[in-house]
Amino acid sequence: MQEAGTRLFYNKGFHATSVRDITEACGLTPGALYNHFGSKEELLYSIIMDGHAALDRMLDAVRADAPAPERLHGLIEAFVLHHTRYRKEAVVGDEWRALDEEHRDEVRRLRLGIRARVSDVIREGAAAGAFELPKVPNGDPVRMAATAALDMSFRVAGWFSPDGPVSDTAFAAFYADLVLRSISKVR
C-alpha cells in the first residue's frame, strides 16, 4: 500500500489522491486502507517516516570522528544520494505540511535535527579554521549555510535523472564538493 500511495502522491499530490485511488491501485476495496492505516494521512506519515529512517541510516554511516571537512562532505553526499535514489519518496515527503499537528511537529523535529547535524559540523570546521563563512548582519551564517546546502541538495529529487549520463554517486560527490568548496578557507 505504501508503494501505491507513494506513486499516487508523487503523480497527483496528496490532496488530489483519494482513498479509492489508493485501494484501486492495490486491487482492494475502498475500506481496505483502514485495515492497514487509520487514514490517508497516516499512510503519508508512514511513507515520510520510512524515508527519514532510511536517510538517518545513511547519515549515521558518515564517520563521526573524521575532520569537519570530510564529515561535511560525507553528510552532503549521503543526503544527495538519498534524494537521488528515493526521488519519489522525497517529493512525497515534502507534503509533510498535510499531516496533523502532532505528526508535522515530529517531522519538523527530524528535519531540524538534520540541519543541526550539518550546522554542528560547519561550526566546528569554522572554529578550526577549515571553513570561512561570509558575515551576515543579524544572522547566523552557520545556520544559513547549512540551510542553503540542505535545501539545494533536497531539490535534486525534483530534477535529477537516474537515466542521465551522470551516476547518482558521481552526482552526490559533485554536490558535496560544491558545498565544501563554497565554504572552505583554502580555495
Side-chain angles (χ1 to χ4, degrees), residues 164-187:
V166 178
S167 72
D168 57 0
T169 54
F171 185 74
F174 166 81
Y175 252 66
D177 287 346
L178 187 67
V179 168
L180 196 58
R181 288 177 185 193
S182 73
I183 63 170
S184 289
K185 195 165 191 175
V186 179
R187 297 194 207 300

Side-chain angles (χ1 to χ4, degrees), residues 67-104:
E70 186 179 323
R71 269 188 318 193
L72 180 60
H73 192 280
L75 290 172
I76 297 302
E77 192 170 15
F79 192 85
V80 171
L81 196 57
H82 173 80
H83 287 82
T84 59
R85 290 185 176 168
Y86 301 99
R87 292 174 22 255
K88 289 181 181 176
E89 291 82 354
V91 170
V92 169
D94 209 28
E95 297 263 17
W96 68 279
R97 289 170 192 84
L99 298 172
D100 64 38
E101 184 176 358
E102 180 182 342
H103 289 149
R104 266 194 327 269

Side-chain angles (χ1 to χ4, degrees), residues 101-182:
E101 184 176 358
E102 180 182 342
H103 289 149
R104 266 194 327 269
D105 288 345
E106 185 176 358
V107 172
R108 185 178 293 114
R109 280 192 302 276
L110 290 171
R111 290 176 178 214
L112 290 173
I114 292 167
R115 184 174 68 195
R117 184 182 249 183
V118 172
S119 293
D120 289 348
V121 173
I122 293 173
R123 187 170 280 106
E124 180 185 318
F131 301 148
E132 182 176 47
L133 300 166
K135 304 288 184 234
V136 57
N138 304 316
D140 178 356
V142 169
R143 181 179 173 273
M144 293 170 71
T147 301
L150 291 171
D151 187 61
M152 176 178 79
S153 298
F154 164 77
R155 299 291 166 206
V156 303
W159 61 267
F160 175 78
S161 173
D163 300 323
V166 178
S167 72
D168 57 0
T169 54
F171 185 74
F174 166 81
Y175 252 66
D177 287 346
L178 187 67
V179 168
L180 196 58
R181 288 177 185 193
S182 73

Side-chain angles (χ1 to χ4, degrees), residues 54-76:
L55 175 57
D56 284 342
R57 285 189 298 276
M58 291 180 80
L59 295 174
D60 288 344
V62 175
R63 278 190 41 220
D65 62 342
E70 186 179 323
R71 269 188 318 193
L72 180 60
H73 192 280
L75 290 172
I76 297 302

